[in-house]
Structure formats: structure tokens, C-alpha cells
Amino acid sequence: MITLSLIIVPLFGAVLAVMWPGNRTRPWLLPVFGFVHTALTFWLFFNPPVVAPDAWIGFDPLVRAVLPPVSLLFLVCAAYGVPYLHIRSERPNRVFVALLLTTLGLISAGHLSRHLGLLWITTEAVTLASVPLLHFNGTPRAFEATWKYLLVGGTGIALSLLGSFCLGYASLHGGGIGDLTFTALAAQGAELSRPWVLTAWVLLLVGYGTKMGLAPMHTWKPDAYGEAPSIVGAILAGGVTTVAFTAILRVRAVVGVAGEGAIADRTLLVVGLFSMLVAALFLLGTRDFKRMLAYSSVEHMGILSIGAALGGAGLAAALFHVWSNSLTKGALFLSAGNLRRAAGSAAMDEVRGMALLTPRSAAIFVTGMFAVTALPPFGPFFSELQILRAAFSTGHSGAAAMFLGCLLLAFFGLTRVVFGIVDGRPRPGTRANAKRFVETAGVITPPLVLLGLSLWLGLFTPAMLREAWLAAVAQLIPSS
Amino acid sequence: MNGGTLNLLIGLAMGLNLLALGSSRLPSLIRAMSLQGVVLGVMPLFMTHATLHWSVVMVALATILGKGVLIPALLRRAMRAANIDREIEPFIGFVPSLLLGAGGTIAAVAVARALPLLPEHAGSLLVPGALASVLTGFILLIGRAKAISQVCGYLILENGIYLFGLLLIHSTPLLVESGILLDVTVGVFVIGIIVDRIQRAFDSLDTRKLTTLRE
């Protein structure tokens, strides 16, 4: 019941938001329901329920390992949403608040889905619910980004449906009776028809990989993150991508017991390295600091994919990286939102000297950039180090070398953009625009909290979390 | 098992793919797509072993209404509201598209042979039909400039996936099927709304104008 309330409570909040009369008070629904969701998630984290094997929805060890940071990220973004929507009080926020809460409910549902068909339905629903969030700003650029998001994302999602059907047929061909829960699929094991499993793996990896933003299916990401409000970008980058990653992990587990795990791992490794390379090269070229965040997200999705390809230790490190990436990237998105609002533009050519105009946001942005490029002692440093160690211990030293090379290139790209906008003397136009933006506690605290969480994750990494990640690994790779 | 009738219908759907690829005007593209929707909707009725189950009839009815009537009507309305000229401007010309589509259909038949089928599906054209439609959808998505013709491409791609889903019609629960159908329909509505907004923001539905965002 508590498990189901993770879905129902935010959806109830969405209905309440639709009916709420006041435009000024409505944003408060976001942190209220975000807090209830986080409280429920952590209650379940500390008291994990027993999940029936045939349950369609359940808080299993995998969900326990990845949902808490998503919920935390949402809560902090929701707290940021109140001052943000206050600044943007000229725009009606009924649809925005309602759909943000709907997205939270559907993100939970996507994580909790233990059924192939249900997983697809929820992922598609998240995609559709986030569409109006992307064009909240109502500019032609925002509509262009939304169109690309819909077309690329829609095609990806369609291919993952085809892949789901193929996996279903693999089960049917192997004598299955049409039970498409992941437990039942895994129980069939080697009876699953191999050619169909491989077809399904390719289609599902492309499909959910599009949603995750793995290269070369990442093309919607820079546009969408560049034009969407920062809280939406943070939730897409830290929450929706995690749903897709969880989906890939669940499918990967089935492919593994069907006896094709080696091929699955190789494709994950190649796609991951390719994503890192593409992201690093585009980071060296981009001239817009919000699009920069999108490429950085592509890079980190690549890191997750590589971690997932490296067996038990790598997978546990990838789950660790889900935490560190979600929280750190959230801090970057929110502080970038402040800079964007103060500067009136996200283009590197127009924005300079933000350290003088918005010193606190600029400081958080720079620190967040160092954190995300794996500066110790922040979370990403330790999770990436563990992935690297898993790569060496499994004999993938070539991949590890390329991994390090891409990290270095990405570091150059990120520092180039970040210091380009933070340093120097501000332009007169920017100066005038920045006067209208006040760095209140409401817009500074949320990114600072996320940065603090990232630091805490790196310094202390509670034993309970490690245990949760290992339990998820045991669920996905039963033999290890 | 009316395997013969079913294959005839799938053949018809594959023919409509080629018609869609060769259409030079939007109304005929939409007509080909909606006719394909109706053909697809009828198919489940020919797949039952003995008696018709009510859930199969419901899926058939919902598909005919959704893919054959509702969605095409929406697209026609969008076309009239946008008052755009009806010519389809192709990136990939009509003859190359047709050749690609025909070659793709042959390749689909060849690929489908490599995949093992259950005895009751042997000799059925469902898998090649599905692959050919997915490919047709891709060609239209990539090769056409107008937003509405891209939407048609997306829908034909989805028709292909639906064809494939027919292999599983007796084993997937109704809840899952209706959920999928609902998502697809809502998806088209959302696309329709965005098409309308693009029309207002850019005063055009030509996706070649959507090129502000790039590196």
C-alpha cells in the first residue's frame, strides 16, 4: 500500500493543483507533495517491504537503490520551484505545477514497474507529461525544442515498444504463457528464444537509450535542456533518465539469464564509450551553458552504461553514480537557472563576469562543475573511481584509458564554458538585466543543499547505501 | 484460423505503405494512413481460433475508431486550420522513397525468415509486414519536410508495431493493450497540440524552419 502511495500521492497532488484557485499559492503544493514523497521513499528505504515475485508493482532492491536520490532531487527542485514560479508570476502555472507532480508520480511508477508492458506504458506517459513542461517559456525556440523532443523521443519509445513485443514473443516461443513480469521472464532463462531476445535487446537499448540520452540517440537533449526551465532540466536529467536506466538494467538482467549477457555487456560498453566521446567532443564546441549541461548529462549516461557493462562491481558503482550524478547535476542545473535569469541569455558570447553580478550562484556553479568533473571529495569522484577500478579488474584497460581520456576532454570543455561566463567584466546589458534578479535565500539554498548532499555522499557514503546497491546487484545478477 | 484472409489484409497494408511513400499530396497520404488503420483494425477478427472473444472485438473496434477515424480527422483539421498548401515537399524524392520502400519490403521478408516463429504463426506475413511498415514510417519521418507528413510517418511506424503486437494478442492482458492504445492516442493529441503551437509561433508547418537550435 505504501508502495502504491508513491504513485498515488503525487497524482493526487496533481489533481489538487488543477483545482487550486490561487496562482501565487499553488507552487507550494510542489514542496508539500515532494516532501511526502521523499518521506515515503525513505521510510520504504529503511523498511524494505517483501515483494511478491509476480507483483507488477513493487519496491524491490533495484528501486531501493535508485529511487531515493530521484525523490530527494525532486524535493529540492520543488523547493526551488516556489521562488522560481514567484519570479515568473506573469505566467499561469496551473498546468506546470500539475504536470510536474504528475511527472513525479509517473517517475515513481516507472521505477516500480516490474512488468514489461507496464514499464513501457509509464515511460511513454512520463514522456508525454513532460512535454508541456518543456515549452513553459512559450518561445518559438522552446516549441522547436519540444517538437524535436517529441519526434526523437516518440520514435525511441515506439522502438522500445517493438522491443517489448519481441521480448514477449521470445517468451511465447520458449513456451511461456504470456506472463511478462520480469521475474517470470527471468525464470524462463535459457528457454527464451535467443534470436528474439537479441532483437529485443537491440530495440530496447535503442528505445530506452533514447530516453536516457545515450549517443547517438541524444540529439533531443541539448535542445530540450537548453530551452526548458532549469527545474525541468534537473528533473529530466536526474529523474526521467534514471527510469530509462532502470528499464535497461531490468531488461539486461533477462538477457543475461537467457545466456546472451556477454553480448549485452559489450553493446553497453561500446554505446557508453561512444556517448562519452560524443559528449566530450560537443562539450569542446558548445557556446551555451545550458546546452553544456545537456552534453554533460550525455557523458554521465555513458558512464552509467559503462558501469552497467562491467559485471557486479561495475554495476554497484553505476548505482552509486546514479546518486552522485542526480544530486550534483541538480545543483548545476539550479545554479545555471539563476545565472540564466540574471544574465538574460545562456549564450557564452553574451554572458561574462557573472562572478561579479551573482557571486553566490556563480560560486555554486563553479563548485558544481568541479564536482561533476570528479573533483574529490565529491560523490562523482568516488563513483567514477569505482567504475574505473571495475574496468581494470575485469581486464578492460583499453576502455578504462578511453574513459579517462573522455573525462579529461569533458573537463576542458566544461571549464572553458564555465569560466568564460563567470570571469571577465560584465557587459552593460547584462548588468542592467542582473539588477532585476535578486539572489534570495530561496534560489540559493536549493542548489547549495544538493551540492552539500553530493559532498556528503562522497565523504561518508553510508554503509546502508552500499548494502542497498549490493542488494540490487544481487537482484540483477543472481549468480554474483 | 483464417491465415489466407489475414495474409491478404497484411499484403494490403504493405501495399498502402508504398501508396503512402508515393503520395505527393497530404490528403492522399492521410487517406492511405487511415485506410491502413482500418485494415489493421479488422485483422484481430480474423485471428481467433474458434469464437470471438469480447476483448478482441473491443481492441478491433478501438483501433478502427482511433487509427481509422479519429486520428485522421484530427490531422485533416490541423491541415485545414493551418491552411497550408497540400503539396508534400520531400527531402527524399518520391521515386527514391518508393524504391527504398520496395527494397525494404523485400529485405523485411528476408530478415523475417531468419527469426523463428511458433507453428501457428508460420507462413504468416505479420513479421515482414511489421518490419516493412516500421521502415516506411522511418522513411517518411526522415524524408518529408512538413510536420503533418512526419506525423503520418510516425503513425505508420506505430502501425507496424501494432502489426507485430498481433502476434501476442492472445497472451497479453487487456489492461496492457488498452494502456498502450491509450498512450498512443494521447501521444497523437499532444503532437497535434504542438503542431498547432508551431504553426502559430512560426506561421508555418515546414520543419525546415526549425533550425535555430544547433551547435
Side-chain angles (χ1 to χ4, degrees), chain A residues 177-271:
Chain A
I177 46 162
D179 184 354
L180 296 184
T181 55
F182 286 101
T183 328
L185 289 172
Q188 275 190 281
E191 285 169 18
L192 294 167
S193 160
R194 294 271 185 106
W196 284 108
V197 167
L198 283 180
T199 318
W201 169 247
V202 172
L203 289 167
L204 286 165
L205 182 64
V206 170
Y208 288 120
T210 310
K211 202 88 251 0
M212 221 176 129
L214 289 168
M217 296 84 77
H218 68 286
T219 47
W220 57 274
K221 237 180 183 180
D223 297 348
Y225 291 6
E227 300 309 314
S230 288
I231 43 172
V232 176
I235 290 167
L236 284 181
V240 178
T241 52
T242 313
V243 175
F245 183 56
T246 316
I248 290 179
L249 290 183
R250 287 191 194 278
V251 174
R252 159 71 186 76
V254 173
V255 177
V257 293
E260 300 288 3
I263 293 181
D265 284 346
R266 204 168 310 146
T267 44
L268 276 175
L269 189 67
V270 169
V271 168

Side-chain angles (χ1 to χ4, degrees), chain A residues 121 144 158 169 196 291 295, chain B residues 116 118 121 161 183 210 212 215:
Chain A
I121 293 171
E144 179 181 337
Y169 198 72
W196 284 108
R291 293 171 73 86
Y295 288 118
Chain B
L118 284 175
H121 298 134
I161 295 171
D183 263 3
L210 303 181
T212 330
E215 291 311 322

Side-chain angles (χ1 to χ4, degrees), chain B residues 148-166:
Chain B
I148 292 184
S149 33
Q150 288 180 340
V151 175
C152 288
Y154 182 66
L155 288 165
I156 289 179
L157 189 151
E158 235 155 29
N159 282 350
I161 295 171
Y162 172 92
L163 264 180
F164 195 92
L166 287 180

